[in-house]
Amino acid sequence: MGVTTHAPASGTEIRAFQVEIPEEKIDDLRRRIAATRWPSKELVSDRSQGVQLEALLALARYWESEYDFGRVEARLNALPQFVTEIDGVDVHFIHVRSSHDEALPLIMTHGWPGSVIELIDTVGPLTDPTAYGGRAEDAFHLVLPSLPGYGFSSEPSEIGWDLSRTARAWAELMRRLGYTRYVAQGGDVGAGVTDAMGRQEPAGLIGIHTNLLVPALGGPMPTITDEERAAAAQIALFQKSGNGYFVEMATRPQTIGYALLDSPVALAAWMIDHDTDAYYKIAGAFVDERPSGNLTRDHIVDNITTYWLTGTGASAARSYWEAYGPDAPAAGNTPLPPSTVPFAFTTFPGEIWRTPRSWVEASYPNVIYFDAVDKGGHFAAWEEPELFSAEIRAAFRSLR
């Protein structure tokens, strides 16, 4: 993928960045979509055998014939982008400073199968809240980095890039940007990075917010109340029949990587087969042309196209091996101590499990905010960017 940088790489320098997509890469992508060898239709009426043929055919038809391939370049280049080398990785990030004087710096981390694409519609509501019915004093200076091996960040060339190492890199990024007092947010893999930042307590970090409760993935949680038992049952169901992607990427990321780099339709299928709520919303956007909030056909294909054109399907998969794999270096590490950094949490109804407040308070000693909202799912920032942004503003209000 072609890029333009406006300064040579040297040490800790921050360089301006622009995306340039060669036309031959688009032509090759279209050719590969058209040449797809399709399997026969699944033998069930739901997603229990995987991504349904009707949904993927509709996605592929739209991608090849109707989608505007200039969207990724245009949407990203409309925002200030930069790259800087941290610990051997060129970290790509979007950095938008608010025009409001008292804005609070915020670093926000995407997950898998997301990218900075899923977060860019929060830029307006977070940096200029007055344009979206918010208050000037709730504004943020926003930093949106691409995880190592995702999108426009370079691939790690050695093992060891686990959640903690990424968290340290993010603290270094905020230091280089001159931020001495800031907050952090993350969902999915980004929640793991943000949780690690809270436990590391780097200088300047004054609060964190996540929308996925990381400790609930690490072991049993209390099951005393009906709400707790319902959440535990949701996690058990996910681990029994919904986490195929997780197991494969945490144990054999290189194996699936061959398909993800060779076939765009295989990449699309892998990326939309995440969780039940998100899958049916995405399928509905293509089969019925009925998007759920901001999960439109164009936005979904923007994200998949970014993975394809940057060739990061395999390297992104390896991040799961690093973070959760039994053979990764991190598997033998001593767990980080509990965080005393102020912690905020929002639970969305379509998430893999509906997190009870009691679990949040059992996991973090300094809870300053909890909210349960009535819409949105695993990709909450993407699906409901204005609601999500309002939650972030409310979560950190007491720290200003």
Side-chain angles (χ1 to χ4, degrees):
M1 178 157 229
V3 299
T4 298
T5 57
H6 299 292
S10 62
T12 62
E13 186 175 13
I14 295 173
R15 294 111 61 195
F17 180 96
Q18 287 276 288
V19 177
E20 293 179 352
I21 302 174
E23 192 61 37
E24 57 266 26
K25 284 185 174 283
I26 302 300
D27 294 340
D28 177 68
L29 172 54
R30 280 201 175 100
R31 179 186 62 79
R32 287 172 180 265
I33 297 172
T36 300
R37 293 180 62 192
W38 293 92
S40 57
K41 188 177 184 298
E42 65 280 355
L43 303 178
V44 293
S45 60
D46 56 19
R47 71 177 292 253
S48 60
Q49 289 189 339
V51 173
Q52 295 161 295
L53 182 62
E54 181 183 19
L56 204 57
L57 281 170
L59 188 157
R61 281 194 297 267
Y62 185 80
W63 198 5
E64 180 190 3
S65 303
E66 299 181 49
Y67 175 69
D68 175 5
F69 284 92
R71 283 178 52 87
V72 169
E73 183 176 315
R75 295 184 76 201
L76 288 174
N77 288 346
L79 296 167
Q81 298 174 87
F82 304 88
V83 66
T84 189
E85 185 271 318
I86 302 176
D87 198 8
V89 167
D90 279 339
V91 174
H92 163 264
F93 62 99
I94 294 167
H95 182 202
V96 183
R97 289 187 58 84
S98 174
S99 62
H100 297 289
D101 293 338
E102 301 303 316
L104 179 64
L106 164 65
I107 184 167
M108 193 155 68
T109 312
H110 66 84
W112 184 93
S115 65
V116 292
I117 292 290
E118 71 175 289
L119 301 177
I120 59 179
D121 284 316
T122 66
V123 170
L126 289 173
T127 61
D128 187 17
T130 56
Y132 296 83
R135 310 183 311 180
E137 55 266 35
D138 287 338
F140 295 94
H141 300 309
L142 190 59
V143 180
L144 304 177
S146 296
L147 288 164
Y150 286 69
F152 299 96
S153 286
S154 65
E155 297 184 12
S157 59
E158 61 182 8
I159 62 172
W161 270 94
D162 58 3
L163 299 172
S164 293
R165 188 168 175 179
T166 303
R168 291 192 296 272
W170 278 194
E172 170 61 15
L173 175 60
M174 296 303 275
R175 187 195 67 79
R176 286 188 195 178
L177 292 172
Y179 293 132
T180 58
R181 185 175 184 271
Y182 64 93
V183 293
Q185 143 65 29
D188 193 82
V189 175
V193 173
T194 303
D195 173 83
M197 291 181 74
R199 294 171 190 273
Q200 292 169 356
E201 301 188 12
L205 181 67
I206 63 168
I208 64 175
H209 176 279
T210 71
N211 49 289
L212 185 140
L213 193 70
V214 174
L217 292 172
M221 301 295 286
T223 53
I224 298 171
T225 68
D226 289 343
E227 187 181 22
E228 291 172 343
R229 285 189 289 271
Q234 288 177 308
I235 294 175
L237 179 62
F238 171 73
Q239 293 175 334
K240 178 182 178 181
S241 63
N243 68 341
Y245 74 91
F246 188 106
V247 173
E248 179 71 14
M249 295 199 299
T251 58
R252 294 294 186 271
Q254 190 70 15
T255 301
I256 190 61
Y258 297 109
L260 303 183
L261 270 291
D262 186 64
S263 167
V265 169
L267 175 69
W270 190 249
M271 291 176 67
I272 69 173
D273 194 18
H274 183 272
D275 67 279
T276 299
D277 177 77
Y279 168 75
Y280 282 122
K281 288 172 178 175
I282 292 170
F286 288 97
V287 175
D288 304 319
E289 298 187 25
R290 179 177 42 81
S292 177
N294 212 37
L295 284 177
T296 65
R297 294 185 299 179
D298 279 336
H299 289 162
I300 293 160
V301 176
D302 286 346
N303 189 50
I304 300 169
T305 300
T306 298
Y307 271 72
W308 176 262
L309 293 175
T310 57
T312 49
S315 55
R318 290 188 205 116
S319 73
Y320 271 66
W321 184 90
E322 292 281 11
Y324 312 110
D327 300 318
N333 290 350
T334 302
L336 293 171
S339 170
T340 60
V341 171
F343 180 79
F345 188 85
T346 302
T347 183
F348 292 86
E351 184 54 273
I352 298 171
W353 70 90
R354 184 75 157 171
T355 297
R357 181 174 189 139
S358 59
W359 283 11
V360 175
E361 293 175 342
S363 302
Y364 296 92
N366 192 6
V367 177
I368 60 167
Y369 181 85
F370 176 89
D371 196 20
V373 296
D374 60 3
K375 59 181 177 178
H378 186 77
F379 301 102
W382 198 5
E383 184 182 354
E384 300 289 345
E386 291 191 37
L387 170 63
F388 183 87
S389 299
E391 282 297 303
I392 300 302
R393 296 195 299 263
F396 293 126
R397 192 165 288 148
S398 65
L399 300 179
R400 291 179 180 268

